[in-house]
Amino acid sequence: MIQPPDRARERLSVPFASSAANTLGVEWEFALVDQDTKDLVNCASAVIDEVTVISDGVNPKVHREFLRNTVEVVTGVCRTVAEAMDDIRQTVSVVHKAAQSQHAELFAAGTHPFAQWSTQQWTDAPRYHELMNRTQWWGRQMLIWGVHVHVGVDRREKVLPILSSLLNHYPHLLALSGSSPLWSGVDTGYASNRAMMFQQLPTAGLPFQFGEWREFEEFVFDQTKTGIIEQVNEIRWDIRPSPSHGTIEVRICDGVSTLRELSAITALICCLVADLNERLDRGEELPSMPPWHVQENKWRAARYGLDAIVIVDEHSNERLVTEDLSDLLERLAPQARKLGCADELASVEQIPVLGASYQRQRLVAEQSGGDLRAVVGAVVEELRSGVA
């Protein structure tokens, strides 16, 4: 019989820079659209140059991205959701002014309703050229934008159990943030077409559910040895450890269209991580589901959004996602009070009432007789009214 290899000798040490529990950071990606045509415009470099002028120096909270039609705004390390929202509002306001100087507007959604991927340009950097060379057609299709939320974890032993348990709430977060129903002029029938597209890239999609950090290190070793990645941050899972920051990074969400929704969803993520962290401190075993349930839930939320019937436990019980969300918010309310984000968490309930972005976009398309420029204009105005 062939003996399995001694995997203990095939590990790459991945240090985890633990950070204070429940600290947070937010990354918000924006597309740039022409004020008149509403189509994407490849002017990110000019916008960032103008940000430098307005800020009287390089602004470290505004980043270039893979696509030259995209800018990313990030917060510093924040203690509360309110602090993070105030931080990001100030930076977005500066970027908004800079964009207007280039006859452009900020567009916040998971995909653009009618832009053509073939006309877009990417940032001239070696890592992006390598990405395009490797991923080819699928890589060139990645005309997508999202929101990433980092939450601090104080010990690395907690990271992977929390990550696996967070997957139980994957469909809730995706349904709330779904904002990519339209693609290349077509209604895809999905609330989040972005989620389905992004998983086509190597190392993207759902994470593996490892139980111990040792297993994650063995995985990183394999990925590095076989040339799949060169650095840990090239693992682009929907939820991933961020060892250099000492955080869990939740990357599930589509580009969120309003600051109100961003605040609500950030509060929900922070409360979920804090709750799971405390349960580990009490010696509890965190609930998780088989990977096949997690995978099915991702598809259902991407397809049906807030109308999805999702699997809620390892026993294959199902429930309407909004009904399960209501009970979840009630359970997390004491945690939100401790974190100082009770109002923000409570506002999650308003998203199904007012309609998620994918629903609002479809409504504008219907009311305008299919005018997708009107859809872009409506998304632009929602953001502008909240941050400008």
Side-chain angles (χ1 to χ4, degrees), residues 88-277:
I88 212 160
R89 182 190 293 108
Q90 292 181 43
T91 308
V92 173
S93 180
V94 171
V95 177
H96 176 258
K97 292 176 184 176
Q100 290 198 315
S101 76
Q102 303 301 315
H103 201 68
E105 298 280 2
L106 300 182
F107 174 83
T111 57
H112 187 282
F114 63 84
Q116 300 300 309
W117 63 267
S118 58
T119 63
Q120 307 310 313
Q121 302 169 13
W122 63 82
T123 301
D124 187 13
R127 66 190 181 109
Y128 293 138
H129 284 284
E130 175 60 28
L131 178 65
M132 285 298 95
N133 183 56
R134 185 175 184 211
T135 60
Q136 292 295 312
W137 190 83
W138 273 114
R140 293 183 174 89
Q141 292 279 319
M142 292 297 128
L143 206 58
I144 56 176
W145 301 273
V147 162
H148 307 156
V149 178
H150 289 260
V151 183
V153 180
D154 55 352
R155 289 192 293 115
R156 77 176 192 182
E157 290 76 18
K158 295 179 177 180
V159 172
L160 296 174
I162 291 174
L163 186 156
S164 291
S165 198
L166 277 174
L167 290 170
N168 290 17
H169 307 291
Y170 189 116
H172 307 72
L173 295 170
L174 186 58
L176 288 166
S177 66
S179 63
S180 52
L182 302 161
W183 172 260
S184 194
V186 175
D187 189 324
T188 65
Y190 282 74
S192 175
N193 187 49
R194 167 195 159 273
M196 295 290 94
M197 292 186 61
F198 188 55
Q199 68 183 9
Q200 306 306 318
L201 293 185
T203 79
L206 292 169
F208 293 104
Q209 293 173 244
F210 298 127
E212 298 179 4
W213 194 257
R214 167 186 57 80
E215 297 174 281
F216 178 65
E217 290 180 323
E218 290 170 357
F219 169 78
V220 172
F221 174 87
D222 289 344
Q223 295 283 291
T224 305
K225 183 176 180 179
T226 55
I228 298 170
I229 65 170
E230 293 183 0
Q231 302 177 22
V232 175
N233 63 9
E234 293 174 0
I235 298 170
R236 300 181 178 92
W237 292 337
D238 297 336
I239 310 177
R240 68 179 181 181
S242 183
S244 63
H245 291 96
T247 64
I248 289 176
E249 183 183 1
V250 179
R251 301 157 51 89
I252 293 168
C253 298
D254 272 8
V256 176
S257 297
T258 68
L259 190 67
R260 168 183 58 84
E261 290 167 310
L262 181 67
S263 174
I265 292 169
T266 300
L268 177 55
I269 292 170
C270 290
C271 288
L272 283 168
V273 175
D275 175 66
L276 294 170
N277 198 340

Side-chain angles (χ1 to χ4, degrees), residues 293-350:
H293 284 352
V294 174
Q295 184 177 29
E296 175 65 12
N297 274 346
K298 176 179 180 176
W299 183 85
R300 292 185 187 187
R303 170 65 178 88
Y304 300 109
L306 294 170
D307 293 319
I309 296 173
V310 298
I311 305 164
V312 295
D313 57 36
E314 61 182 338
H315 304 295
S316 304
N317 293 307
E318 298 173 292
R319 201 175 184 200
L320 181 65
V321 69
T322 49
E323 291 179 358
D324 198 60
L325 178 65
S326 182
D327 286 350
L328 177 63
L329 294 175
E330 183 176 351
R331 184 175 68 79
L332 291 175
Q335 185 64 249
R337 289 192 289 271
K338 286 193 286 186
L339 296 178
C341 60
D343 290 343
E344 291 92 339
L345 183 70
S347 68
V348 171
E349 289 189 301
Q350 290 301 306

